[in-house]
Amino acid sequence: MTDPTARPGSTAAHSAVRSPIADRLVLAPEVGDALASGRPVVALESTLISHGLPFPRNLEVARDAEAAVWAAGAVPATVAINRGRILVGLDERALVELATTEGVLKAARPSLAAAIAAGGWAATTVSATMIAAAAAGIEVFATGGIGGVHRGALGRPGRPEPPTLDISSDLEELARTPVAVVCAGPKAILDLPLTLEYLETRGVPVVALGSTEVPGFYSRRSGVSAPLSVPDVVAAARLVDVHLGLGLGSGILLGVPVPDEDALPFDQARAAIEQATDEADRAGVHGPALTPWLLARVAELTEGASLRANTALIVNDARVAGELALELLRLRPA
Ligand code: PSU
Ligand code: MN
């Protein structure tokens, strides 16, 4: 029997791909065609499908995000891992499997090799999706919210808990992989000021679209000033084009506020997050399980309102990412 995790050779790799990871990539036909003919492509991640939202909402969001990218005029490429391959672009059957299978692994940069070696399904986080996107030649990627510096990473003022140093590998990936990541802000369960400091230190531009504040994920505002702001997608594309063109090696983060009609009031979001974070501390939840646990608990505490916001913001980010991918190509006439 052949080993399903064996190196597949160069069968599926797109011609412009040079990274060694390219040997592991399997591009969906529409993605390969779009990349080969210079049409816009948007990468989408899959951890929010397998670990971020409950069924059936996760499947609806996965489909709606892809539809939003198509509607903007770009080709969606949802990324996940199966049978030792990194799939760039999933068909309907794969989306359903990811949304319904128990025990799907969560693959980030540190767990990417283990996820590939395990041979089954793994969902990719922001860091792993950026790696796949860059290897495939995709410049634009949409997610809900990036991971970052967790509350309590440096300890908690006036409390005995030691520092956890829990900082998402998403931040290091943004520092080292040249992809534009469209999100609704770092996830609201995080320490936002520390996350921004980390990104600044590591040389990652953080740009808010149509706002002077960093978008607050569940809420439109966060109360924290954005390091950079642009008024619209055209201006965002100009900035992304210059950044990627400089060859600095880093990514760029674009924050888009959640649509107004589905946003959570800032105070409601904050109260639920504070309670959920305290409970997670007491229950000893940590490591890769922490983010999914907090998102699920906030959904319970807000009686589903956070799920509505999370759903709406993911689809909105996918739409904006599609528009950004189109604008970027317009800036580079063939
Ligand atoms: N955006 C969402 N829901 C999610 C995530 C993003 O709306 O669940 C995922 C992303 O894949 C991100 C991950 O990379 O959460 C961060 O996990 P951690 O904090 O363990 O690095
Ligand atoms: Mn972590």
Side-chain angles (χ1 to χ4, degrees):
M1 210 187 99
T2 55
D3 173 2
T5 67
R7 284 171 77 86
S10 59
T11 45
H14 149 254
S15 55
V17 167
R18 267 173 215 98
S19 141
I21 292 177
D23 288 354
R24 290 278 173 196
L25 300 183
V26 177
L27 305 188
E30 68 279 12
V31 174
D33 287 351
L35 289 170
S37 58
R39 280 179 288 124
V41 178
V42 172
L44 300 168
E45 59 128 320
S46 47
T47 293
L48 61 89
I49 304 173
S50 300
H51 303 279
L53 292 164
F55 181 83
R57 175 85 60 158
N58 58 351
L59 184 57
E60 289 159 21
V61 174
R63 289 176 176 146
D64 291 354
E66 291 203 347
V69 172
W70 282 116
V75 175
T78 304
V79 174
I81 292 165
N82 194 27
R83 297 175 60 81
R85 268 55 160 189
I86 303 175
L87 310 178
V88 181
L90 301 181
D91 60 18
E92 170 67 15
R93 201 173 130 215
L95 280 186
V96 171
E97 281 194 41
L98 257 187
T100 55
T101 304
E102 293 286 316
V104 172
L105 298 176
K106 175 176 167 184
R109 174 177 279 269
S111 43
L112 184 59
I116 290 172
W121 278 108
T124 51
T125 65
V126 169
S127 65
T129 307
M130 286 181 77
I131 292 169
I138 302 172
E139 293 183 299
V140 180
F141 161 32
T143 180
I146 60 159
V149 181
H150 275 276
R151 293 162 189 237
L154 301 185
R156 291 180 184 277
R159 302 236 313 245
E161 294 92 334
T164 64
L165 213 64
D166 188 345
I167 300 172
S168 175
S169 57
D170 292 353
L171 300 186
E172 280 300 303
E173 204 60 49
L174 281 159
R176 65 189 287 178
T177 301
V179 171
V181 178
V182 180
C183 69
K187 277 196 281 285
I189 54 172
L190 302 167
D191 186 317
L192 181 57
L194 289 185
T195 299
L196 293 176
E197 290 296 346
Y198 196 106
L199 288 169
E200 182 180 27
T201 299
R202 300 292 285 116
V204 180
V206 176
V207 189
L209 185 83
S211 173
T212 56
E213 288 186 16
V214 179
F217 191 66
Y218 296 131
S219 329
R220 289 178 65 81
R221 304 180 59 172
S222 64
V224 176
S225 292
L228 296 163
S229 296
V230 290
D232 53 34
V233 175
V234 174
R238 260 188 257 120
L239 186 52
V240 167
D241 185 50
V242 173
H243 178 78
L244 296 179
L246 289 173
L248 299 173
S250 52
I252 176 166
L253 189 66
L254 189 66
V256 185
V258 57
D260 211 4
E261 49 295 2
D262 296 297
L264 273 191
F266 183 73
D267 290 335
Q268 188 193 354
R270 189 175 51 193
I273 289 160
E274 278 168 8
Q275 183 178 337
T277 327
D278 280 349
E279 289 176 3
D281 271 356
R282 266 183 261 120
V285 184
H286 61 91
L290 179 59
T291 293
W293 194 95
L294 288 172
L295 294 177
R297 186 68 184 123
V298 169
E300 285 171 4
L301 291 171
T302 60
E303 292 168 347
S306 72
L307 289 184
R308 269 197 303 287
N310 204 346
T311 305
L313 67 87
I314 289 166
V315 176
N316 190 53
D317 294 344
R319 177 184 62 81
V320 172
E323 294 171 3
L324 176 67
L326 246 70
E327 285 302 329
L328 270 178
L329 288 183
R330 256 184 222 141
L331 290 172
R332 302 170 188 156

